[in-house]
Amino acid sequence: MKYICLGYYDEKAWETISPGEQNKLMDECFAYDDELRKNGHFAGGEALQSARNATTLRWVNGKVTVTDGPYAETKEQLGGILVLEAEDLNEAIRLMSRHPGVRNGPFEIRP
């Protein structure tokens, strides 16, 4: 079964981390993604650009409105997606619990 894993992070907190620490965490994330790929669990994934680059569409009064920026007004923004192949939700949770990105922000997992 496929699961979408949505990784969130606080952009302002991320910007306070040194570039070396950012690179180290990203390298750990990519290494774990390679492990998932090797074991047949990685079905796809991408990092996203900053939420500042987002555009949000809404249906308002019978027409589409376009707004710059993310929809959610929250400290944590969507930072990337990973499509995981797992037997069930428990396996998806077990696999994502080991992902280094969890140290930087929450992951939402959906079948």
Side-chain angles (χ1 to χ4, degrees), residues 1-3 33 36-37 40-45 82-86:
M1 180 162 197
K2 286 190 171 59
Y3 293 86
D33 290 348
L36 290 170
R37 195 176 283 109
H41 295 293
F42 189 93
L82 188 148
V83 180
L84 191 66
E85 185 70 45

Side-chain angles (χ1 to χ4, degrees), residues 14-33:
W14 177 254
E15 292 168 358
T16 67
I17 301 171
S18 74
E21 287 296 310
Q22 289 176 352
N23 289 335
K24 181 180 179 218
L25 178 59
M26 293 307 299
D27 288 345
E28 290 173 12
C29 290
F30 293 142
Y32 187 65
D33 290 348

Side-chain angles (χ1 to χ4, degrees), residues 6-15 17 22 25 48-52 74-80 101 103-107:
L6 306 171
Y8 293 87
Y9 76 116
D10 180 338
E11 284 186 309
K12 289 182 182 176
W14 177 254
E15 292 168 358
I17 301 171
Q22 289 176 352
L25 178 59
L48 301 175
Q49 289 186 7
S50 167
R52 292 182 289 260
T74 179
K75 187 165 72 168
E76 293 172 336
Q77 298 293 333
L78 184 61
R103 295 192 311 253
N104 196 52
F107 272 81

